[in-house]
Coordinates of all heavy atoms in Angstrom, one line a residue:
Y28 N -67.3 -52.3 -74.0 CA -68.6 -52.8 -74.2 C -68.8 -54.1 -73.4 O -68.2 -55.1 -73.6 CB -68.9 -52.9 -75.7 CG -69.0 -51.6 -76.4 CD1 -67.8 -51.3 -77.1 CD2 -70.0 -50.9 -76.4 CE1 -67.8 -50.1 -77.8 CE2 -70.1 -49.7 -77.0 CZ -68.9 -49.3 -77.8 OH -69.0 -48.0 -78.4
R29 N -69.8 -54.1 -72.6 CA -70.1 -55.2 -71.7 C -71.2 -56.2 -72.2 O -71.3 -57.2 -71.6 CB -70.5 -54.6 -70.3 CG -69.5 -53.7 -69.7 CD -69.8 -53.3 -68.2 NE -70.9 -52.3 -68.2 CZ -70.9 -51.1 -68.5 NH1 -69.7 -50.6 -68.9 NH2 -72.0 -50.3 -68.4
S30 N -72.1 -55.8 -73.1 CA -73.1 -56.6 -73.6 C -73.0 -56.9 -75.0 O -73.4 -56.2 -75.9 CB -74.4 -56.0 -73.3 OG -75.5 -56.9 -73.6
I31 N -72.2 -58.0 -75.4 CA -71.8 -58.3 -76.7 C -72.3 -59.7 -76.9 O -72.1 -60.7 -76.3 CB -70.4 -58.3 -76.9 CG1 -69.7 -57.0 -76.6 CG2 -70.0 -58.6 -78.5 CD1 -68.1 -57.0 -76.6
R32 N -73.2 -59.8 -78.0 CA -73.7 -61.1 -78.4 C -73.1 -61.6 -79.8 O -73.2 -60.9 -80.8 CB -75.3 -61.1 -78.5 CG -76.0 -62.3 -78.9 CD -77.5 -62.2 -79.0 NE -77.9 -61.6 -77.7 CZ -79.1 -60.7 -77.6 NH1 -79.7 -60.4 -78.7 NH2 -79.5 -60.3 -76.6
A33 N -72.4 -62.7 -79.8 CA -71.8 -63.2 -81.0 C -72.5 -64.4 -81.4 O -72.9 -65.4 -80.6 CB -70.3 -63.6 -80.5
V34 N -72.7 -64.4 -82.7 CA -73.7 -65.4 -83.3 C -73.0 -65.9 -84.6 O -72.4 -65.3 -85.4 CB -75.0 -64.9 -83.7 CG1 -75.9 -65.9 -84.2 CG2 -75.6 -64.0 -82.7
D35 N -73.0 -67.3 -84.6 CA -72.4 -68.0 -85.7 C -73.0 -69.4 -85.9 O -73.4 -70.0 -84.8 CB -70.8 -68.0 -85.6 CG -70.1 -68.3 -86.9 OD1 -70.2 -69.2 -87.4 OD2 -69.4 -67.2 -87.3
I36 N -72.9 -69.9 -87.1 CA -73.5 -71.2 -87.4 C -72.5 -72.3 -86.9 O -73.0 -73.5 -86.5 CB -73.8 -71.4 -88.9 CG1 -74.7 -72.7 -89.2 CG2 -72.5 -71.5 -89.7 CD1 -75.1 -72.8 -90.6
K37 N -71.2 -72.1 -86.7 CA -70.2 -73.1 -86.4 C -70.4 -73.5 -85.0 O -70.8 -72.6 -84.1 CB -68.9 -72.6 -86.6 CG -68.6 -72.3 -88.1 CD -67.2 -71.8 -88.4 CE -66.9 -70.4 -88.0 NZ -67.6 -69.4 -88.6
P38 N -70.1 -74.7 -84.7 CA -69.9 -75.2 -83.2 C -68.9 -74.3 -82.6 O -67.9 -73.9 -83.2 CB -69.6 -76.7 -83.3 CG -69.8 -77.0 -84.7 CD -69.8 -75.9 -85.6
F39 N -69.0 -74.1 -81.2 CA -68.2 -73.1 -80.5 C -66.7 -73.5 -80.7 O -65.8 -72.6 -80.7 CB -68.5 -73.1 -79.1 CG -69.9 -72.5 -78.9 CD1 -70.6 -72.8 -77.8 CD2 -70.3 -71.6 -79.5 CE1 -71.9 -72.3 -77.5 CE2 -71.6 -70.9 -79.5 CZ -72.4 -71.2 -78.3
D40 N -66.3 -74.8 -80.7 CA -65.0 -75.2 -80.7 C -64.3 -75.0 -82.2 O -63.1 -75.1 -82.3 CB -64.8 -76.7 -80.4 CG -65.4 -77.6 -81.3 OD1 -66.1 -77.2 -82.2 OD2 -65.4 -78.9 -81.2
E41 N -65.2 -74.6 -83.1 CA -64.6 -74.1 -84.5 C -64.6 -72.7 -84.6 O -64.2 -72.2 -85.7 CB -65.5 -74.7 -85.6 CG -65.4 -76.3 -85.6 CD -66.3 -77.0 -86.7 OE1 -66.7 -76.2 -87.5 OE2 -66.6 -78.2 -86.7
W42 N -65.0 -71.8 -83.6 CA -64.8 -70.4 -83.9 C -63.5 -70.0 -83.8 O -62.6 -70.5 -83.2 CB -65.7 -69.7 -82.6 CG -67.2 -69.9 -82.7 CD1 -67.9 -70.8 -83.3 CD2 -68.1 -68.9 -82.1 NE1 -69.3 -70.6 -83.2 CE2 -69.4 -69.4 -82.5 CE3 -68.0 -67.7 -81.4 CZ2 -70.5 -68.7 -82.0 CZ3 -69.2 -67.0 -81.1 CH2 -70.4 -67.6 -81.4
Y43 N -63.2 -69.0 -84.7 CA -61.8 -68.5 -84.8 C -61.3 -67.9 -83.6 O -60.2 -68.1 -83.2 CB -61.7 -67.6 -86.1 CG -62.0 -68.1 -87.3 CD1 -62.6 -69.3 -87.6 CD2 -61.4 -67.6 -88.5 CE1 -63.0 -69.9 -88.8 CE2 -61.7 -68.1 -89.8 CZ -62.3 -69.2 -89.9 OH -62.6 -69.6 -91.2

Side-chain angles (χ1 to χ4, degrees):
Y28 289 96
R29 299 187 294 278
S30 182
I31 303 170
R32 184 177 301 147
V34 187
D35 205 285
I36 192 173
K37 296 184 288 293
F39 293 149
D40 62 358
E41 295 180 13
W42 287 28
Y43 292 22

